[in-house]
């Protein structure tokens, strides 16, 4: 992509703001040259980055920080920027051992992660309505908001993300949040 080509994906998928920032976390282990005191060799390094909207504070899972610049993630950006929100009422049956905790303040995130992995805590807006224990299985009942271009795509995204048996009881298209209707680069 050339530098002067429009980047319709370089915006918040939720409110369409172009006021984004990248938060980069870096950890590294480096050997030191005993003669110069400078870094001699990288033993291990880890870089994590999250792109976030400064206006609505939502993470942008359709964007990644690669090679010093923000770029789109091909299999997500069109669905999240060009799509509309869909709300699903569903259950996911997961192995009880995959649930970190099912009580206390962290329970919602733990159950969402058990049901949908990273999608459940980063890409989808999830609300755990309740859960129930059935022997070695936990059935998590959720309301999930996700972005997709059609009902079929929304169902496929949920199926691919589910970390257990998924049952969708309802799926309805919502309208985009009001800030998104302004066109260009509005907030």
């Amino acid at each position: 992509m050339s530098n002067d080509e429009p980047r319709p994906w370089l915006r918040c998928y939720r409110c369409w703001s172009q006021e984004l920032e990248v938060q980069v976390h870096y950890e590294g282990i480096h050997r030191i040259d005993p003669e110069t005191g400078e870094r001699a060799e990288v033993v291990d390094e880890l870089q994590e980055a999250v792109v976030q909207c400064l206006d609505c504070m939502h993470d942008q899972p359709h964007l990644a920080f690669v090679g010093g610049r923000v770029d789109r993630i091909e299999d997500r950006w069109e669905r999240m920027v060009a799509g509309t929100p869909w709300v699903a009422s569903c259950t996911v049956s997961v192995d009880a051992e995959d649930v970190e905790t099912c009580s206390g303040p962290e329970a919602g995130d733990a159950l969402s992660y058990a049901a949908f992995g990273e999608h459940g805590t980063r890409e989808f807006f999830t609300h755990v309505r309740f859960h129930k224990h059935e022997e070695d299985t936990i059935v998590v009942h959720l309301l999930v908001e996700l972005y997709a271009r059609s009902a079929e795509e929304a169902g496929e995204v949920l199926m691919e993300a589910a970390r257990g048996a998924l049952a969708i009881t309802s799926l309805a298209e919502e309208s985009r949040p009001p800030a998104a209707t302004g066109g260009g680069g509005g907030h």
Side-chain angles (χ1 to χ4, degrees), residues 84-155:
T84 56
W86 291 80
V87 176
S89 179
C90 61
T91 62
V92 181
S93 300
V94 297
D95 190 326
E97 291 180 5
D98 294 337
V99 179
E100 191 174 308
T101 184
C102 60
S103 63
E106 295 88 25
D109 282 347
L111 290 163
S112 293
Y113 185 81
F116 291 111
E118 285 290 320
H119 295 278
T121 56
R122 195 152 179 271
E123 180 181 337
F124 302 160
F125 296 94
T126 57
H127 172 70
V128 176
R129 298 177 69 204
F130 62 94
H131 71 282
K132 60 183 177 181
H133 295 256
E134 295 179 352
E135 296 179 17
D136 294 337
T137 301
I138 295 178
V139 180
V140 186
H141 295 257
L142 309 109
L143 287 177
V144 179
E145 180 183 324
L146 68 150
Y147 282 71
R149 291 167 288 189
S150 67
E152 294 77 23
E153 185 177 51

Side-chain angles (χ1 to χ4, degrees), residues 23-137:
Q23 299 170 7
V24 181
H25 304 278
Y26 176 83
E27 286 185 35
I29 300 172
H30 305 261
R31 294 216 194 284
I32 302 298
D33 184 305
E35 302 291 320
T36 65
E38 295 177 1
R39 179 174 64 180
E41 166 188 359
V42 175
V43 176
D44 189 23
E45 63 184 356
L46 172 69
Q47 177 178 302
E48 292 181 5
V50 175
V51 179
Q52 187 176 59
C53 175
L54 292 173
D55 288 329
C56 71
M57 301 307 291
H58 281 101
D59 288 352
Q60 304 299 303
H62 68 292
L63 300 174
F65 186 64
V66 181
R69 66 183 303 147
V70 172
D71 204 354
R72 64 190 177 259
I73 297 174
E74 282 297 329
D75 64 341
R76 289 186 189 165
W77 81 268
E78 280 190 29
R79 175 173 60 81
M80 296 184 77
V81 173
T84 56
W86 291 80
V87 176
S89 179
C90 61
T91 62
V92 181
S93 300
V94 297
D95 190 326
E97 291 180 5
D98 294 337
V99 179
E100 191 174 308
T101 184
C102 60
S103 63
E106 295 88 25
D109 282 347
L111 290 163
S112 293
Y113 185 81
F116 291 111
E118 285 290 320
H119 295 278
T121 56
R122 195 152 179 271
E123 180 181 337
F124 302 160
F125 296 94
T126 57
H127 172 70
V128 176
R129 298 177 69 204
F130 62 94
H131 71 282
K132 60 183 177 181
H133 295 256
E134 295 179 352
E135 296 179 17
D136 294 337
T137 301

Side-chain angles (χ1 to χ4, degrees), residues 11 15-16 176-187:
R11 64 176 65 248
C15 74
W16 285 21
R176 235 185 216 285
T181 60
H187 298 278

